[in-house]
Amino acid sequence: ITPKYDDMVQHIEPLGADIFYIEVTCQSLTKRNAPNLNGKVLGYAHKGDVLAIFEEKNNWGKIGENAWISLNPKYSKRRNK
């Protein structure tokens, strides 16, 4: 199944039972094309945004095709949809 997304991969349709959600708690959180700080910046999520995470790797969450966001608890928290 391919995720449907718009607006810089901000809204994702869940792909399965392993999905979880985060809420951005900092002013802005960088979206990158790889799960590390060297990944190209794709854009930003903002405080209060809720994002679906459908893969986790080294404390980074995949939010779309080639789009990742840090899962550091300084910047976001897990929540229900």
Side-chain angles (χ1 to χ4, degrees), residues 4-12 24 31 44-46 48-52 63:
K4 295 179 182 177
Y5 57 94
D6 60 1
D7 192 26
M8 281 302 295
V9 194
Q10 194 162 354
H11 307 285
I12 306 293
V24 178
K31 298 176 186 180
Y44 301 90
H46 302 284
D49 288 350
V50 176
L51 305 171
I63 59 170

Side-chain angles (χ1 to χ4, degrees), residues 10 25 31 33 35 42 64 71 73 77:
Q10 194 162 354
T25 56
K31 298 176 186 180
N33 72 343
L42 301 175
L71 297 177
K77 64 181 178 180

Side-chain angles (χ1 to χ4, degrees), residues 64-78:
E65 189 172 335
N66 297 318
W68 296 81
I69 202 154
S70 172
L71 297 177
N72 186 319
K74 285 197 245 182
Y75 311 123
S76 64
K77 64 181 178 180
R78 286 189 186 221

Side-chain angles (χ1 to χ4, degrees), residues 13-47:
E13 288 188 11
L15 301 177
D18 294 335
I19 303 304
F20 64 92
Y21 296 86
I22 61 145
E23 179 178 347
V24 178
T25 56
C26 60
Q27 286 303 112
S28 64
L29 186 55
T30 307
K31 298 176 186 180
R32 298 183 181 274
N33 72 343
N36 59 61
L37 292 174
N38 296 321
K40 179 182 173 186
V41 174
L42 301 175
Y44 301 90
H46 302 284
K47 188 171 186 170

